[in-house]
């Protein structure tokens, strides 16, 4: 179904934004952590698990172009915001890498947020509002009580 509905230009723009940030982080983090500024006081496994593996979780859904994956990928990108802003404060010598990380994370966050929104609308996907759920639940209980 996803491929049957054509993407509007604004949807494509936000997808490109998201992919720019995502691919940028996928390239930046291993190069930064293993090549340019190796962390001698951390094991390779730890660095890989903390800085690279989280980016791999949404890869399948992003490749398959699933709006829901773009939406929850924002939870993962928050790790990179926290990391970036922390290092901005404590590691001024790595400022160039930190700024690149924050640019990619911001691009991914904005792109994922709006891509999920616009693509979801194009596909007719809808997240029910809590108000609707509560009304349905109340109606079910009232029907049960009246029976």
């Amino acid at each position: 179904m996803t491929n049957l509905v054509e993407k509007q230009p604004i949807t494509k723009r936000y997808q490109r934004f998201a992919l720019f940030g995502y691919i940028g982080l996928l390239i930046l983090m291993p190069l930064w952590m293993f090549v340019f500024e190796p962390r001698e006081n951390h094991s390779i496994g730890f660095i890989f698990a903390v800085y690279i593996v989280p980016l791999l979780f949404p890869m399948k859904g992003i490749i398959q172009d699933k709006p829901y994956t773009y939406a929850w990928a924002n939870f993962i990108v928050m790790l990179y915001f926290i990391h970036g802003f922390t290092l901005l404060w404590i590691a001024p010598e790595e400022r160039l890498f930190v700024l690149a990380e924050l640019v990619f994370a911001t691009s991914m966050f904005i792109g994922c947020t709006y891509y999920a929104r616009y693509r979801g609308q194009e596909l007719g996907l809808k997240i029910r509002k809590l108000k609707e759920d509560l009304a349905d639940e109340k109606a079910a209980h009232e029907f049960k009580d009246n029976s």
Side-chain angles (χ1 to χ4, degrees), residues 16-74:
R16 284 192 299 271
F17 236 64
L19 291 175
F20 169 77
Y22 180 67
I23 293 168
L25 284 172
L26 273 175
I27 293 169
L28 173 69
M29 297 313 289
L31 286 176
W32 179 11
M33 298 294 158
F34 295 123
V35 178
F36 298 119
E37 296 284 338
R39 304 295 195 251
E40 295 167 7
N41 53 346
H42 297 329
S43 72
I44 291 173
F46 174 80
I47 293 170
F48 191 76
V50 172
Y51 298 110
I52 287 94
V53 169
L55 288 170
L56 301 178
F57 292 141
M59 184 179 282
K60 180 182 177 194
I62 287 175
I63 290 170
Q64 293 175 342
D65 197 21
K66 298 194 179 284
Y68 185 75
T69 302
Y70 281 82
W72 66 256
N74 278 337

Side-chain angles (χ1 to χ4, degrees), residues 136-147:
D136 289 349
E137 189 175 315
K138 181 178 177 183
H141 285 293
E142 288 175 356
F143 178 76
K144 185 178 171 183
D145 292 340
N146 291 335
S147 300

